[in-house]
Amino acid sequence: MSEKNKYEAGFGSHALKNPQRIVFTTKKTSAKVQDVAEPKVMAYPHLLMREAIVFQVIVAMLVVVSLLWDAPLEQLANPLLTPNPAKAPWYFLGLQELLHYFPPLVAGVIIPTLVVLALIVIPYFNVNINGAPLWAAKRIGALQGFVAVLVALVVVLGIYDAWTVLVPTALIGGLAVYSYFFEPEVGGWKGYLRGRPVSWWVMTWFIAVSIVLTLVGTFFRGPGWSWVWPWRPYGA
Amino acid sequence: MSENPKAPGNPDAPESCEKCEVGRRDFLNEISFGALAVAGLGSAVVSYQYFSPNVLFEPPTKFRAGSPDLYPVDSVTYLQDQLVYIMRSAAGFWAVSAVCTHLGCITAWHPETNLIQCPCHGSKFKQDGVKVAGPAPRPLPHFSITLSPDGELVVDKLETVQPSQVLKV
Amino acid sequence: MATLPALIERVRQTQAWKSVFRRGPARSNRTRSLAVFGNLFLHYLPVKVRERALRVRATYYLGSISLILFLVLSITGIFLMFYYHPAVPQAYRDIKDLQFVVSNGVFLRNAHRLAAHLMVLLVFAHMFHVFYRGGYKPPHEFNWVVGVILLLVTLFLSYTGYLLPWDQLAFWAITVGTNIISSMPVVGGRVRFLLLGGNLVGENALLRFYVLHCVILPLVAVWFIAVHFWRIQKDGGLTVKDTDERKE
């Protein structure tokens, strides 16, 4: 065969480094996975007892809060009159905030679809499965590329005036750039950030943007989606 | 894959059939899966038809807006039941939709700024429906406005017209 | 007069009891194992769990709490269905009745609404926590996808329930939300028409959202929850990290 042999013989038991392996066994031994011996307990009662306690605590808390806090009920639905402001449920207020800046096709269809697709494909990218830090190699080229992408993103957001997205993006991005200059050996939060892989940074950015948008949509938006302060009630 | 697994030289190829006729088992498999696919497709089409209502009890889209004399020159009148603004200037009449083109909220006329404003996402429109601010993708559409034989304005919300068309009375 | 423990012991000796619970009292590891895998509702659990996986920081019980909230929502939701007609404007009057006329109706509605919002929050928290622990990595990749589907089902369940009170809040949230759908290219308008059963949010839309909220989506959710739990065990249990130090 002219082709190079694709298989290598060797010993290895690291499932993350070698996800696909073939096991050869001799007649005398059987194939088995060496389990790391670690303390185990019976699911009944140890796990079930904990679940039962959680159940009781949650239900008790639900009952108490439900007795004290009434669900809102507004006027009968009137298709001829839009309340001002008309707000979606809180978990869609981030989306509504995006809709304030971008056209509906972008904010309402493309961005949510991309987010869901991104979430689904996360585990199927076997790149960097060991979680190597973002700046593991500490190449200046990687930093330049990262900064270029970040600046482009910030500029686009600036053009659309979408500063409630821009601020968390710039903060998290800036922190990622800043962590490039930490020494790997440094301890504390600097060392923690220095050791984070790129997936961690992307997810943290996503969560930061989501939380900021949801909070702004919930507490800081009033009539005509204008900026208000939550401690100054409007419409009174 | 560059190599054809069924090429005659390939020792791994399955026993090649004479002239590659379809075997009985393959034929039955294909018939079965074909029948399933047809049935599935048919069910999908029938379900789609079932779930699309043929008769809707929604408000009529054509309405009479009364005599032109009801609307003074240089005025904006909001017809709340129809979600339409009747505008009148020296040039004539035109009708603008009050439903925001962004996400369907009902806009409101603000005389102090001479702008139509949407409460949901902050879009603002001029009197002719052209957007001046906010996320709305299109200007507010103009509806056809005509004069009935007995001299009343008739607005048809299904028929949109160019903003340049105004009804001269 | 027999004492209570003695009475329980007597009941346990009866043939009727033994026909239901074939194992004896769960006092040995053998009968404890039987208690788990001989029970339809517990057999998705492993018989033994790693001590590290039981630590609070391994899960913060986020998944368990999501399931508990789902159960609470099922029960309170079925209770609410007894007084609710999905019709305009009867739906709004029914909610008013639940608030002011039906005994404990307001409590049930509060509990249902609170649990629904909490469930959305908890499912998000669960997903982020699993991500930061690397719980999505092989061999758990399929279960992660099931989890993403469950997140979408949860959001859709909560959103369809939002319309049912038929008040201003409900009506305009659904109007805005379904108009987002119609901005989808090519099929958007048709999808919105099918979802609402018309061009406007009206009677048909209320009935469709009711059926989705009370029948279709709960069935989908139960189905995927079952797969989700089953796969935890089939994929080798919860993800434990080397940094989760063992209990002394």
Side-chain angles (χ1 to χ4, degrees):
Chain A
M1 294 266 295
S2 59
E3 214 176 321
K4 191 174 165 284
N5 190 1
K6 278 187 271 187
Y7 304 105
E8 291 174 28
F11 295 99
S13 61
H14 199 292
L16 299 180
K17 277 182 187 150
N18 312 306
Q20 284 169 333
R21 284 164 294 171
I22 298 176
V23 179
F24 296 98
T25 54
T26 60
K27 276 181 183 169
K28 286 176 188 165
T29 60
S30 60
K32 66 171 183 182
V33 176
Q34 268 197 334
D35 197 7
V36 184
E38 66 166 284
K40 289 187 171 182
V41 291
M42 298 297 291
Y44 180 106
H46 295 277
L47 175 60
L48 283 174
M49 202 60 80
R50 284 169 166 81
E51 300 285 350
I53 292 169
V54 172
F55 180 85
Q56 289 171 354
V57 170
I58 293 294
V59 171
M61 277 172 21
L62 265 178
V63 167
V64 170
V65 179
S66 303
L67 285 172
L68 299 176
W69 184 29
D70 278 354
L73 185 65
E74 296 194 355
Q75 300 281 306
L76 176 67
N78 180 0
L80 304 176
L81 185 74
T82 309
N84 194 356
K87 287 193 180 180
W90 63 268
Y91 42 84
F92 284 146
L93 283 182
L95 214 58
Q96 198 173 351
E97 178 76 12
L98 281 181
L99 282 163
H100 173 64
Y101 298 117
F102 304 106
L105 181 62
V106 175
V109 180
I110 294 177
I111 293 177
T113 311
L114 285 181
V115 166
V116 170
L117 283 182
L119 285 175
I120 285 178
V121 301
I122 283 173
Y124 293 96
F125 280 109
N126 279 341
V127 291
N128 191 18
I129 204 142
N130 283 321
L134 171 60
W135 309 118
K138 201 155 188 175
R139 282 189 299 113
I140 193 73
L143 181 68
Q144 285 163 344
F146 187 90
V147 171
V149 171
L150 184 64
V151 168
L153 199 60
V154 167
V155 166
V156 169
L157 292 172
I159 289 172
Y160 278 97
D161 219 9
W163 61 273
T164 47
V165 191
L166 194 152
V167 170
T169 303
L171 273 177
I172 299 292
L175 210 54
V177 171
Y178 187 37
S179 76
Y180 177 89
F181 300 101
F182 301 155
E183 292 307 318
E185 306 82 42
V186 76
W189 64 275
K190 286 182 175 177
Y192 179 78
L193 285 184
R194 182 68 173 72
R196 294 305 98 200
V198 65
S199 56
W200 187 92
W201 285 106
V202 172
M203 188 55 123
T204 306
W205 168 61
F206 171 70
I207 295 176
V209 171
S210 308
I211 290 178
V212 168
L213 288 184
T214 307
L215 287 180
V216 167
T218 309
F219 297 112
F220 294 90
R221 290 298 184 179
W225 214 247
S226 58
W227 185 269
V228 293
W229 299 105
W231 51 89
R232 276 192 215 156
Y234 51 83
Chain B
M1 288 279 275
S2 57
E3 257 183 311
N4 179 5
K6 287 199 174 174
N10 189 342
D12 296 336
E15 261 182 76
S16 60
C17 46
E18 295 281 318
K19 297 177 206 160
C20 265
E21 280 178 7
V22 180
R24 188 191 304 168
R25 181 170 297 184
D26 291 341
F27 175 73
L28 287 175
N29 269 343
E30 279 164 26
I31 287 276
S32 317
F33 281 114
L36 268 180
V38 169
L41 204 67
S43 316
V45 170
V46 172
S47 306
Y48 175 79
Q49 287 173 335
Y50 176 78
F51 284 114
S52 308
N54 295 325
V55 180
L56 290 174
F57 300 94
E58 292 178 352
T61 57
K62 203 170 177 177
F63 68 96
R64 296 162 83 89
S67 155
D69 303 333
L70 291 170
Y71 306 92
V73 178
D74 286 326
S75 73
V76 175
T77 311
Y78 176 46
L79 302 180
Q80 205 199 23
D81 295 345
Q82 301 294 344
L83 305 174
V84 167
Y85 298 106
I86 305 285
M87 315 280 194
R88 183 175 189 182
S89 71
F93 285 92
W94 69 95
V96 174
S97 164
V99 180
C100 182
T101 53
H102 184 225
L103 292 173
C105 295
I106 309 301
T107 58
W109 168 250
H110 288 251
E112 67 279 5
T113 53
N114 268 350
L115 287 174
I116 298 169
Q117 292 187 14
C118 176
C120 289
H121 304 91
S123 294
K124 290 173 185 162
F125 306 88
K126 284 196 293 188
Q127 214 174 333
D128 56 357
V130 173
K131 184 190 87 171
V132 287
R138 292 181 304 279
L140 295 174
H142 287 232
F143 295 135
S144 113
I145 184 165
T146 50
L147 215 53
S148 70
D150 54 349
E152 284 199 0
L153 294 171
V154 177
V155 178
D156 187 352
K157 288 195 277 186
L158 272 189
E159 198 183 334
T160 55
V161 296
Q162 292 299 315
S164 52
Q165 279 188 35
V166 286
L167 175 75
K168 293 190 179 66
V169 178
Chain C
M1 200 55 205
T3 58
L4 191 62
L7 196 66
I8 291 173
E9 202 47 49
R10 285 250 309 268
V11 171
R12 281 188 142 164
Q13 296 306 321
T14 59
Q15 197 190 347
W17 179 271
K18 283 182 168 174
S19 73
V20 182
F21 302 100
R22 291 183 185 282
R23 60 173 175 83
R27 282 172 202 143
S28 68
N29 277 0
R30 184 180 162 276
T31 46
R32 284 170 180 171
S33 312
L34 287 171
V36 171
F37 63 69
N39 183 310
L40 174 67
F41 305 102
L42 300 181
H43 80 283
Y44 64 81
L45 292 172
V47 168
K48 280 184 163 187
V49 287
R50 282 169 286 190
E51 262 190 359
R52 282 194 291 168
L54 279 186
R55 303 224 35 183
V56 171
R57 74 166 61 164
T59 58
Y60 293 105
Y61 293 95
L62 294 170
S64 307
I65 297 175
S66 304
L67 178 72
I68 291 164
L69 290 171
F70 183 77
L71 295 177
V72 169
L73 283 164
S74 307
I75 294 164
T76 52
I78 290 170
F79 274 59
L80 290 172
M81 281 171 79
F82 278 87
Y83 278 103
Y84 180 84
H85 305 77
V88 178
Q90 184 63 37
Y92 181 74
R93 291 185 199 143
D94 290 338
I95 302 294
K96 278 270 186 224
D97 278 0
L98 278 166
Q99 296 273 82
F100 299 110
V101 181
V102 179
S103 304
N104 307 327
V106 65
F107 166 74
L108 275 171
R109 177 163 181 254
N110 292 348
H112 193 73
R113 178 177 173 278
L114 181 66
H117 284 301
L118 278 181
M119 186 172 162
V120 174
L121 197 68
L122 264 291
V123 170
F124 267 115
H126 177 47
M127 184 178 80
F128 294 147
H129 178 253
V130 167
F131 177 85
Y132 281 130
R133 283 183 66 82
Y136 58 88
K137 288 177 182 170
H140 302 278
E141 64 265 56
F142 178 68
N143 219 11
W144 168 265
V145 175
V146 173
V148 174
I149 294 171
L150 277 172
L151 169 75
L152 295 180
V153 171
T154 307
L155 285 177
F156 207 32
L157 261 172
S158 177
Y159 188 63
T160 47
Y162 213 74
L163 180 65
L164 301 186
W166 201 253
D167 61 347
Q168 277 287 70
L169 204 64
F171 182 89
W172 288 101
I174 304 307
T175 301
V176 169
T178 51
N179 274 317
I180 295 174
I181 298 173
S182 59
S183 66
M184 270 197 304
V186 190
V187 292
R190 290 307 299 174
V191 173
R192 179 173 191 266
F193 184 79
L194 275 186
L195 191 63
L196 295 183
N199 299 309
L200 305 167
V201 179
E203 293 225 286
N204 286 353
L206 180 58
L207 188 56
R208 278 178 193 215
F209 274 53
Y210 175 74
V211 174
L212 282 170
H213 185 74
C214 301
V215 183
I216 298 176
L217 291 171
L219 282 178
V220 174
V222 166
W223 187 269
F224 279 104
I225 288 171
V227 174
H228 200 56
F229 273 78
W230 183 243
R231 284 300 287 244
I232 299 173
Q233 192 196 340
K234 292 288 149 184
D235 293 340
L238 295 177
T239 306
V240 286
K241 284 164 77 175
D242 298 335
T243 46
D244 300 339
E245 75 274 32
R246 286 168 197 175
K247 235 156 96 175
E248 301 310 318

